[in-house]
Amino acid sequence: MKISASLRLTSFALAALLAAPLAAQAQNIAIVNGKAVPKARVEALMTQAVKSGQPKTPELEQQVRDEVVLREIFLQEAEKRGLAATPEYKQQIEFARQTLLIRELFADFTRKNPVTDAEVQAEYDKYKGQSGGTEYRARHILVEKEDEAKALIGQIKGGAKFEDVAKKNSKDPGSGENGGDLDFASPGAYVPEFSQAMVKLKKGEMTDAPVKSQFGWHIIKLEDTREAKFPPLEEVKGQIQQKLGQQKIGEFRDAIRAKAKTDYKFSTLN
């Protein structure tokens, strides 16, 4: 038996109508009080969660789905109570709009002006050049009075161990309990009076006279020296990228502010 063309068309139309609700359901995760909650909200919230560092797991996805549906329930209740029309709500919406738009301004700039590998390499080379030279491992004993320092120098020259004297007498809480050990550092890490006296010493030598600084009187002993070490690029690349990115954002921000016409006087340039 042959089916007429009109009957076939009617059958196709009926099948399409029956399939339509199923297609619509596939795009939604729930119906709340007759209103559909689209899956797109789940996908958007999942993207935010993953960007914030959370691992994408079935448990997280379920939590996000729960959150999306709960938001719809609470949203409908708030709208039913007319809260969207209150001045307080409208003010908060305006603040949120400003914050999001300004954030997008800087995000857009970052996307269009990424830190390049060449910029990272140049910054790395600059740091490496500045960090070259010799590092010194010294011990010191810090006291308040010159006479006290001279007396301790006498004790050490008389046979007392520098480390023991430092533990007992040094006023420096950071190194005193470690026998005065300051570990390896460049001369620039210390106040000038200290570093000038330290670099004149040979390994194993101690200053014959106390060294005065803003902190008090120092007795310095040089333990060792070495060529300054610098980490490989791979270890510090992320830090350099972050620093350069912040610099670019700062320059972009300052350029926008500089060209703005306003009679307002900022209290700071930050």
Side-chain angles (χ1 to χ4, degrees):
M1 181 176 65
K2 295 182 178 180
I3 301 176
S4 66
S6 60
L7 183 57
R8 285 200 299 270
L9 290 172
T10 301
S11 299
F12 291 152
L14 179 59
L17 288 173
L18 292 173
L22 296 177
Q25 290 175 14
Q27 301 301 316
N28 303 318
I29 62 167
I31 303 295
V32 177
N33 298 322
K35 184 176 180 180
V37 181
K39 283 186 176 179
R41 294 186 191 175
V42 174
E43 294 167 359
L45 199 55
M46 275 293 292
T47 299
Q48 287 187 8
V50 172
K51 282 184 178 180
S52 70
Q54 298 186 60
K56 188 175 182 179
T57 62
E59 292 77 15
L60 176 62
E61 185 172 1
Q62 185 58 54
Q63 291 174 9
V64 170
R65 291 166 68 90
D66 292 347
E67 176 69 16
V68 167
V69 175
L70 277 173
R71 286 188 180 193
E72 180 60 35
I73 292 172
F74 297 143
L75 177 64
Q76 289 186 21
E77 182 64 23
E79 290 176 338
K80 185 170 68 175
R81 298 187 181 203
L83 299 180
T86 63
E88 293 83 359
Y89 171 76
K90 292 180 179 179
Q91 184 180 65
Q92 291 302 314
I93 284 292
E94 175 57 21
F95 287 155
R97 184 190 71 83
Q98 293 176 9
T99 299
L100 291 173
L101 196 54
I102 293 170
R103 185 184 302 166
E104 183 56 29
L105 169 68
F106 292 110
D108 178 69
F109 172 83
T110 299
R111 287 191 295 268
K112 294 177 180 177
N113 299 273
V115 176
T116 66
D117 288 342
E119 290 171 329
V120 171
Q121 185 67 56
E123 191 73 3
Y124 175 81
D125 292 341
K126 183 179 75 173
Y127 282 144
K128 192 172 182 179
Q130 293 173 347
S131 300
T134 303
E135 290 182 331
Y136 295 76
R137 182 168 192 170
R139 294 181 185 271
H140 85 136
I141 301 170
L142 175 65
V143 294
E144 295 179 358
K145 297 179 180 180
E146 183 179 13
D147 289 343
E148 184 181 1
K150 289 180 177 179
L152 294 177
I153 289 175
Q155 290 181 24
I156 296 169
K157 287 185 175 182
K161 290 185 65 175
F162 191 100
E163 295 89 328
D164 294 339
V165 175
K167 288 180 181 179
K168 184 177 180 180
N169 299 277
S170 183
K171 305 301 182 183
D172 179 3
S175 68
E177 61 184 21
N178 294 321
D181 190 7
L182 296 170
D183 207 347
F184 281 101
S186 66
Y190 305 111
V191 292
E193 301 91 343
F194 188 102
S195 61
Q196 288 167 10
M198 178 183 67
V199 298
K200 293 177 182 178
L201 297 172
K202 295 179 181 179
K203 293 181 184 180
E205 283 187 344
M206 177 184 70
T207 50
D208 288 326
V211 177
K212 179 73 168 67
S213 80
Q214 65 195 75
F215 302 106
W217 293 89
H218 305 265
I219 307 167
I220 306 169
K221 180 183 178 183
L222 180 62
E223 293 284 357
D224 200 0
T225 62
R226 71 181 184 188
E227 286 302 306
K229 294 182 178 180
F230 200 73
L233 176 59
E234 293 71 22
E235 290 185 12
V236 295
K237 184 175 182 180
Q239 299 173 29
I240 296 175
Q241 285 176 324
Q242 183 179 25
K243 177 178 179 293
L244 292 178
Q246 291 172 345
Q247 286 180 353
K248 286 190 175 188
I249 286 291
E251 292 167 359
F252 177 59
R253 176 199 62 198
D254 293 343
I256 293 176
R257 182 165 58 183
K259 69 181 181 181
K261 297 178 180 178
T262 177
D263 61 350
Y264 182 78
K265 302 299 181 182
F266 289 98
S267 57
T268 68
L269 294 179
N270 296 326

